[in-house]
Amino acid sequence: MFNPLKDHERYSEKDPKDMTLEELRMLLKIRRLDLDLEWKEFQGKIHFWQRVGRTVKQSGILEKFQEGIQAYFTKKEEDSTST
């Protein structure tokens, strides 16, 4: 039995001009599965970073970071104007 996850290497070495119609169909199916898998991996990465962003926003870390940066620059401005 053909396993597209393991046996597709034997099709990638063969020139499509030399393939039978059944082999071409199988190659097309393999390429579609590969593309579908890559798309799902890409979507998974997007969803992961969306969850990370949502978690950071809900935790309040972002606001504390912004407050710290503003305090740093405010102090730096005060130090430069007092000297």
Side-chain angles (χ1 to χ4, degrees):
M1 180 174 177
F2 176 77
N3 182 349
L5 299 176
K6 293 181 181 177
D7 297 336
H8 70 283
E9 288 88 13
R10 71 180 182 180
Y11 286 102
S12 64
E13 296 171 1
K14 198 171 186 181
D15 188 9
K17 290 185 270 183
D18 300 330
M19 292 183 181
T20 65
L21 187 56
E22 184 179 329
E23 288 174 326
L24 286 170
R25 285 183 182 144
M26 188 59 67
L27 181 62
L28 182 59
K29 185 172 186 169
I30 292 167
R31 298 260 169 97
R32 284 180 182 158
L33 288 172
D34 284 343
L35 184 61
D36 190 40
L37 182 62
E38 289 175 16
W39 177 249
K40 287 181 181 183
E41 288 175 357
F42 177 69
Q43 285 179 322
K45 289 176 183 178
I46 289 173
H47 291 284
F48 171 77
W49 287 110
Q50 285 175 338
R51 286 191 299 263
V52 168
R54 204 174 313 121
T55 302
V56 167
K57 188 175 180 180
Q58 290 173 351
S59 69
I61 292 173
L62 191 59
E63 288 82 13
K64 294 205 183 286
F65 178 73
Q66 288 174 337
E67 290 170 5
I69 295 292
Q70 287 174 346
Y72 172 78
F73 284 117
T74 304
K75 184 176 190 255
K76 195 172 184 178
E77 287 176 6
E78 289 172 359
D79 289 346
S80 64
T81 57
S82 64
T83 43

